[in-house]
Amino acid sequence: MDFKNLNRKEYNRLRYQWKSLSQEYKDTQEVANKINIKFVDYVYIFTKENNIKNPFDEINGDKEDKSRDNSTLSSSSSVRTLYRDIMKQTHPDKKENNEQLYIDATKAKKENNLHKLLDVGKKLKLNLSDISRDQLNVLESNIKEIKDSIREIKNSYPWVWFHGSQKTKHEAIYDFLTQMKCFE
C-alpha cells in the first residue's frame, strides 16, 4: 500500500474542502457584519421604545481573548520544518523581495493555518510532495476551526434575529437583552 499517494489524495480532499469552507466563511462573515449593524440599530430602537436599559450604552472592557491556540501547528515537527524553510527564504535579512511571503507565513503560523503556510511554500517552489499524517491532522483541525466559526456566526443573536420569523426575532431580542442583564 502506497501511503504517500493516500496522504496526497487525502491532502487534495482536505485542500478542496478548506478552500470551499474558507470562501463560505468569508461570505458568511461579510453578511454577518451587515446584519450586526442592523441588529445594533434595532436594539437601540427597541430598548428606547420599551424603556429598557440599552446594553450598548455601557460597553465594558471585559472582552474575551479569542486568540487561537497555536499548539497544534507548532507541535508538528514537519510543520516547524516547513515554516523554518520558508523563513530561510523569505526573512527580510535574507531576501528583501519576499517580504510579503514572509508576512503571509508568519501570519499563517500565528493563525495556526497550515493551508496558508503550504500556499506560501508552493509560491516559493518548496518541495511539498511528502504530506505526513501529522500535517493532515493539522489540516483537519484547520477545517474544524472554520466550521466552528461559521456555526458560531449562524448561532449568534444577530444572525438568528435577522433570519428568523417574527416570533423568532422577538425571542432573539428578548434572549439577548436577558443575557446582557438589561431587565434588572
Side-chain angles (χ1 to χ4, degrees), residues 86-121:
I86 291 171
M87 290 299 104
K88 286 178 187 175
Q89 290 191 27
T90 62
H91 195 278
D93 292 344
K94 304 287 182 186
K95 294 184 179 181
E96 293 178 34
N97 61 342
N98 286 328
E99 185 176 346
Q100 187 57 49
L101 294 178
Y102 172 80
I103 292 168
D104 293 346
T106 303
K107 183 178 177 186
K109 186 164 190 316
K110 285 181 183 175
E111 292 177 351
N112 193 21
N113 194 322
L114 180 58
H115 293 278
K116 289 181 182 179
L117 196 58
L118 287 167
D119 282 347
V120 173

Side-chain angles (χ1 to χ4, degrees), residues 144-160:
K144 183 185 178 310
E145 286 177 15
I146 292 174
K147 285 180 178 179
D148 290 346
S149 295
I150 292 170
R151 189 177 308 108
E152 185 178 316
I153 290 170
K154 290 185 176 181
N155 287 329
S156 70
Y157 287 112
W159 189 275
V160 171

